[in-house]
Amino acid sequence: MKKSFILIFALGMLFFSCQNQKKESQTDMENPFFTEWTTPYGVPPFDEIEIEHFLPALKEGIAQRETEVEAIVANTAEPTFENTILALDKSGELLGKVTGTFYPLSSANTNDEMQALAREISPLMTQHRDNISLNPELFERIKSVYERRNELDLDKEQMRATEKYYEDFVRGGANLSDADQTKLRELNEELSKLTLQFGENLLAETNRNFKLVIDNEADLAGLPEDVIARAADDAKASGEEGKWVFTLAKPSMLPFLQYAENRDLREKLYRGYFMRGDNGNEHDNKEIIKNIVKLRDERAELLGFNNHAEYVIDVNMAKTPEAVYEFLMQLWTPAMEMAKKDRDEMQAIINSEGGNFKLASWDWWYYAEKLRKQKFDLDEAEMKPYFSLDNAKKGLFYVVERLYGLKLEPRDWPTYHEEAEVYEVLEADGSKLGVMYMDFHPRDGKRVGAWSTAFRSATYRNGERIPRIGSIVMNFTRPSGDTPALLSFEEVSTFFHEFGHALHGLFADGPYDRTAGNVPRDFVELPSQVMEHWAAEPEVLKVYARHYQTGEPIPDELIEKLEMSGTFNQGFETGEFVAAALLDMDYHTTENPVIDDVRAFEKASMDNIGLIDEILPRYRSTYFSHIFSGGYSAGYYVYYWAGVLDTDAFYAFKETGDIFNPEVAAKFRTLLEKCGADDGMTVYKNFRGKEPSIDPYLEKKGLK
C-alpha cells in the first residue's frame, strides 16, 4: 500500500513538474523580452509588455550577463582587447533590453505597481553591478590588458575603452580589500534604496499631496484667459468641476505666481512648492538626505577620496571641488548685485501701489513681470500666442534640417502612452538615423522637469550600427478647448535643449558602448544648451513664431523687446541656480557628514554666501532631485560650466555671419559623434581650435 502510494505520488510529482516546466516555457515564450522585436527599428512593443514581464526578464538578463562574464574569466588564453575588453563591452544584451525599457517608463509613466517593482529591481541591479565591478578575476584580466596597452597595437578607440574600463573598476572598488568590498556593497545597496525612496516621495508630494482649489472667481483676478481655462480643465479632471485647480507642475504654478493678484494665494501655492518633502509626513525627505550624505561620504573615503565631491569631480573637466567653487563664485557675486537692484526696484513698485509689505519670495515672479513691462514694455502673455507647441516643433525641425539635413517624420508605431508621439529621424539622403519619442505634458505618474533618455542607445553589433531609440520628456503647458498648447519662451528653450541631448545620442558613433557618446558630466550639457541659442535667433523666430490664430509671424517689435530683455532678471535666475549648485557642493564637501538638522544645514549654507531672503535656491534640499535621486550629485554646477562651452561654441557660428554655416555645423556634428573618444577639453579644442573663455558667457547673462 505504501509502495503504491509512493509510486503514484512520484508519478504525480513528475507530471506536475512537467506541467510546471511546460507552463514556465509557455510563459517565457509569451514574455516579449524573450523574443526578437520585429517592430520598426526594434522599438519596444509597448502594447504587448505587461508589468509582470519585467522581473523574470531582468533576472534572466542578469543571469545571462554573469554567465558571459564567467566565460571571460574562464578563458585560459592571455587577456587581450578582444577576449576581455570587447567581450565585456558587448555583454548584457538582454539586460540592456529590459532596463532600457523599464527605467524610461518608470520616470515617464509610473504607477504604484511600477514603483513597487522599482524597489524590488533596485537592489538586484546594485548587487549585479557590484558583482561585475568587484569580480577579482575579471579585474585582473582588465588590468593585464591595461598594463600592456602600449604593447598591444591598439587603435585610439581601443586604447580609450581599455583605459575607461580600468578606471571604472578602480573607482568601483576593485583594489579594495575583501572586507572593504563587503562594506562597499552594503553602502551601494543602501544608497540605491534611499535615492529611489527620495524620488518616490517627491513624486507623491508634487503630483498627489497638494493642489490649490479656487471656487471664487474673484481670486482669478490678473490671470490670462488661457491660464484660467486650463485651470478649469484641471479642476474637471480632478473631480472639482466648476472650480479652478492649480498644481505644483510649473506650467500651472508659474503663470499663477506671475499674474495672480491675490497675494495670499500666491504664497499658499508657492509654499506648497517649496515645502515639498519637508512637511513631517510619510513623504518627508529630511532623514533620507541625512543618510545619503553620510553614506556617500563613507563610500568616498573608502575609495580614497576626502569627500563625495572629490570622488565625482575627479573625472570631470573641473577636476577638483576647489575649481568648481571658484567658478561658481565668479557668477555669484555679480548675480547678487543684479538681484539686489531688481529687488529694490520691485519694492519701489510695491510702495508706489500703496502696498504695505516687504517683497517676499512668492512675490518675485509677480513683480518681476511688472518690472519687465515697465522697463521693456514686454508682457510674456503677449509672446505666448506666437509659441504654440506645433509651431515650436516646426521651428526645431527647421533648425536641425538646416544644420544637419535631418528630417523627422511622424510614425504610427507602438508607444507607451497616448500622449507620446513617435518620429523616424532620417538623414538628408533618406538613410535611417534613429527614432525619437516626444512626450510633452504633465500627468500623474510622470516626474517633474524635462529630460532626455533612450529605450536603446546607438551601438554596434557584429560590425553593424544599431540606431538609437531616443525619447525626450517634458512637462509643458497643456492645450485647453480650442486653444492649443501655448508655451512660454522658457518652455520653447527647454524643448530645444532636450532635443540637443537627443541629437547627441542620435549622432554618437563609436564601436564600443563604454565610450560612444560618453563624456564628462560637466561636458554633457554642451550639446543641449547650444541648441537654445537658435531658438532665440531672429532669423529662426521669423520661421516658427507665428500667431496661432492669424498665422502672422512675430513682429519685429516683439523680437526686439525679447532681445533687449534677454538679460532681464538674470540676477534672480543665476542667483537661484548658483545658490542650489553651492548647496549641492556644501553637502558633498562637508567635513562633518553627520547632519543633525537639514533645514539648519541649508540655512547655514545660504547665509554663508549671502543669499537674500527674497530668493530661495532653485531647489531646496528636500526636493533637490538632481542630487538626491538623479545623477547630478556634486554636479549641479555642470549646467553653467557647460554654459561657457555652449556660448563659445555658438559664437563659432556667429563669427562666420551664418548661424547655419555648413562647415561649422559639420565640425560640431563630428564633436557630437566622436566626443567619447577623448578627454572633454581635447574634444572641444578639436572643434573650436582653442579653449573657451568665460567672458562671452558673463556678457550674455549681463553679469559683465
Side-chain angles (χ1 to χ4, degrees):
M1 188 73 177
K2 286 183 180 178
K3 287 182 179 178
S4 299
F5 174 78
I6 291 170
L7 180 60
I8 292 169
F9 179 78
L11 289 170
M13 288 302 293
L14 179 62
F15 175 78
F16 179 76
S17 175
C18 289
Q19 287 298 103
N20 254 8
Q21 288 175 10
K22 183 178 179 183
K23 184 178 180 182
E24 287 172 6
S25 176
Q26 287 175 342
T27 301
D28 288 351
M29 290 300 290
E30 291 167 4
N31 189 323
F33 287 108
F34 297 140
T35 62
E36 183 178 351
W37 292 343
T38 58
T39 51
Y41 286 81
V43 301
F46 295 107
D47 55 337
E48 299 175 16
I49 297 172
E50 304 292 343
I51 289 179
E52 57 265 27
H53 292 145
F54 283 108
L55 191 58
L58 180 115
K59 288 180 176 179
E60 176 61 25
I62 288 174
Q64 286 187 15
R65 187 168 190 234
E66 292 187 347
T67 297
E68 290 167 335
V69 169
E70 287 169 9
I72 297 171
V73 169
N75 192 335
T76 57
E78 184 179 36
T80 64
F81 179 86
E82 286 74 18
N83 69 24
T84 301
I85 304 298
L86 181 60
L88 178 62
D89 190 70
K90 298 305 178 185
S91 66
E93 187 172 357
L94 174 60
L95 184 59
K97 187 176 180 181
V98 180
T99 57
T101 306
F102 178 77
Y103 287 128
L105 292 184
S106 66
S107 293
N109 202 38
T110 194
N111 54 39
D112 291 342
E113 284 184 274
M114 286 284 282
Q115 289 182 348
L117 182 57
R119 289 191 289 273
E120 194 169 355
I121 284 175
S122 179
L124 292 177
M125 286 300 297
T126 300
Q127 183 183 51
H128 170 65
R129 285 190 291 266
D130 285 343
N131 286 344
I132 302 295
S133 62
L134 298 176
N135 184 316
E137 292 88 358
L138 179 61
F139 177 57
E140 282 305 310
R141 291 187 68 87
I142 291 170
K143 184 178 180 181
S144 174
V145 178
Y146 173 79
E147 290 178 340
R148 294 180 294 114
R149 65 193 185 280
N150 293 321
E151 307 162 14
L152 296 177
D153 195 28
L154 303 180
D155 64 30
K156 186 176 180 180
E157 299 250 26
Q158 292 172 327
M159 183 73 76
R160 178 75 172 168
T162 300
E163 291 171 349
K164 296 311 289 183
Y165 271 116
Y166 178 76
E167 178 185 89
D168 291 344
F169 272 73
V170 172
R171 287 174 58 80
N175 280 327
L176 297 179
S177 67
D178 289 347
D180 283 347
Q181 286 190 359
T182 299
K183 177 64 175 175
L184 181 63
R185 286 177 180 271
E186 294 170 355
L187 291 171
N188 287 341
E189 184 171 348
E190 187 60 26
L191 280 166
S192 72
K193 293 176 183 176
L194 289 169
T195 54
L196 185 66
Q197 187 61 53
F198 184 100
E200 289 183 2
N201 287 345
L202 179 55
L203 186 68
E205 288 279 271
T206 303
N207 291 352
R208 301 179 192 171
N209 293 357
F210 181 94
K211 60 183 177 183
L212 177 65
V213 181
I214 293 177
D215 54 14
N216 183 352
E217 192 169 359
D219 289 331
L220 302 172
L223 293 172
E225 285 302 317
D226 66 306
V227 173
I228 294 172
R230 289 185 183 89
D233 289 345
D234 287 344
K236 185 177 181 180
S238 62
E240 300 279 358
E241 192 160 2
K243 301 177 184 178
W244 299 268
V245 164
F246 293 88
T247 70
L248 302 181
K250 285 192 173 181
S252 177
M253 180 185 74
L254 289 182
F256 193 89
L257 294 178
Q258 280 178 296
Y259 297 110
E261 295 175 6
N262 189 317
R263 185 172 187 248
D264 290 339
L265 291 181
R266 292 203 307 271
E267 177 183 358
K268 185 176 181 180
L269 183 59
Y270 191 45
R271 190 172 292 279
Y273 178 81
F274 72 68
M275 290 301 292
R276 289 177 298 162
D278 190 13
N279 292 305
N281 57 19
E282 62 180 318
H283 301 298
D284 195 283
N285 273 330
K286 292 193 290 294
E287 288 300 317
I288 291 176
I289 290 170
K290 292 179 186 179
N291 288 326
I292 287 175
V293 171
K294 179 175 177 293
L295 295 175
R296 282 176 175 169
D297 188 80
E298 285 183 36
R299 183 175 62 183
E301 291 191 14
L302 196 64
L303 292 168
F305 294 86
N306 289 318
N307 51 57
H308 181 68
E310 270 195 16
Y311 171 73
V312 170
I313 298 168
D314 183 57
V315 290
N316 284 355
M317 295 175 75
K319 298 303 180 188
T320 67
E322 291 76 18
V324 173
Y325 273 111
E326 181 181 354
F327 168 70
L328 291 173
M329 292 310 295
Q330 288 185 71
L331 301 167
W332 175 255
T333 302
M336 274 302 96
E337 290 175 1
M338 288 180 67
K340 289 173 183 176
K341 290 178 182 176
D342 288 343
R343 174 199 60 188
D344 293 344
E345 291 186 47
M346 287 188 274
Q347 187 64 53
I349 293 175
I350 293 171
N351 297 342
S352 69
E353 294 177 345
N356 188 25
F357 58 87
K358 181 177 177 289
L359 183 80
S361 58
W362 48 86
D363 297 316
W364 193 284
W365 283 270
Y366 183 74
Y367 286 98
E369 199 61 36
K370 290 196 171 201
L371 186 59
R372 174 160 49 189
K373 181 76 172 172
Q374 184 183 96
K375 283 188 169 185
F376 306 104
D377 191 27
L378 178 63
D379 184 340
E380 191 173 277
E382 276 186 275
M383 305 287 295
K384 291 182 78 169
Y386 295 94
F387 296 130
S388 71
L389 177 57
D390 283 344
N391 284 343
K393 269 192 275 190
K394 290 174 184 175
L396 177 61
F397 294 176
Y398 168 80
V399 168
V400 297
E401 184 170 4
R402 286 289 307 274
L403 284 172
Y404 307 116
L406 303 185
K407 290 185 181 294
L408 283 92
E409 301 291 346
R411 300 296 186 219
D412 186 21
W413 292 345
T415 187
Y416 60 88
H417 191 278
E418 61 187 10
E419 292 185 333
E421 303 172 1
V422 58
Y423 295 83
E424 183 177 17
V425 187
L426 302 172
E427 298 277 16
D429 62 2
S431 59
K432 299 177 178 183
L433 181 62
V435 178
M436 263 323 299
Y437 285 83
M438 300 185 194
D439 185 355
F440 293 106
H441 305 298
R443 58 176 177 267
D444 288 344
K446 180 191 280 192
R447 67 177 172 88
V448 297
W451 62 95
S452 175
T453 184
F455 295 105
R456 183 184 68 209
S457 296
T459 186
Y460 277 85
R461 297 286 173 189
N462 302 317
E464 178 187 359
R465 188 173 190 272
I466 310 299
R468 178 182 175 90
I469 303 170
S471 177
I472 55 175
V473 187
M474 285 75 67
N475 281 276
F476 289 165
T477 305
R478 280 188 172 279
S480 176
D482 295 332
T483 305
L486 300 180
L487 309 185
S488 67
F489 185 68
E490 181 182 356
E491 288 177 314
V492 175
S493 297
T494 298
F495 188 11
F496 276 67
H497 175 109
E498 297 306 334
F499 201 86
H501 281 306
L503 285 175
H504 180 189
L506 286 164
F507 287 148
D509 191 359
Y512 310 115
D513 294 350
R514 174 58 185 86
T515 53
N518 196 290
V519 294
R521 175 63 77 177
D522 45 13
F523 185 101
V524 78
E525 297 298 332
L526 162 62
S528 56
Q529 290 177 180
V530 75
M531 285 294 293
E532 296 179 39
H533 293 270
W534 277 277
E537 280 292 305
E539 179 180 344
V540 179
L541 284 166
K542 282 291 189 181
V543 170
Y544 79 91
R546 293 178 174 270
H547 198 284
Y548 78 96
Q549 291 172 314
T550 67
E552 290 296 313
I554 188 169
D556 291 335
E557 178 189 3
L558 273 184
I559 293 177
E560 186 178 347
K561 289 179 181 180
L562 185 64
E563 287 185 303
M564 289 175 60
S565 65
T567 60
F568 175 71
N569 208 29
Q570 276 299 319
F572 171 82
E573 292 182 14
T574 302
E576 66 160 3
F577 177 93
V578 175
L582 289 167
L583 177 61
D584 169 30
M585 292 298 296
D586 287 352
Y587 270 120
H588 294 114
T589 56
T590 178
E591 291 184 9
N592 180 15
V594 181
I595 296 172
D596 295 324
D597 185 328
V598 167
R599 285 186 184 176
F601 184 94
E602 180 182 289
K603 184 178 186 305
S605 174
M606 297 298 93
D607 287 348
N608 182 55
I609 57 174
L611 178 64
I612 59 178
D613 293 340
E614 296 83 0
I615 298 177
L616 300 181
R618 180 171 296 183
Y619 297 100
R620 287 193 57 236
S621 306
T622 52
Y623 53 91
F624 205 163
S625 59
H626 283 78
I627 69 170
F628 290 124
S629 65
Y632 285 80
S633 61
Y636 191 60
Y637 77 92
V638 304
Y639 289 93
Y640 275 27
W641 183 280
V644 175
L645 301 176
D646 75 65
T647 303
D648 187 72
F650 188 65
Y651 273 31
F653 288 89
K654 294 282 281 187
E655 287 166 358
T656 69
D658 178 6
I659 60 171
F660 297 108
N661 183 284
E663 289 78 18
V664 181
K667 289 178 67 177
F668 195 74
R669 176 167 179 164
T670 298
L671 176 148
L672 296 176
E673 289 174 345
K674 303 299 181 185
C675 56
D678 215 326
D679 291 328
M681 188 55 74
T682 301
V683 169
Y684 187 79
K685 287 194 294 185
N686 287 343
F687 159 70
R688 192 70 167 105
K690 64 182 182 65
E691 290 193 9
S693 166
I694 193 175
D695 291 339
Y697 185 60
L698 294 175
E699 290 169 7
K700 184 188 88 167
K701 286 187 161 292
L703 301 176
K704 183 175 181 178

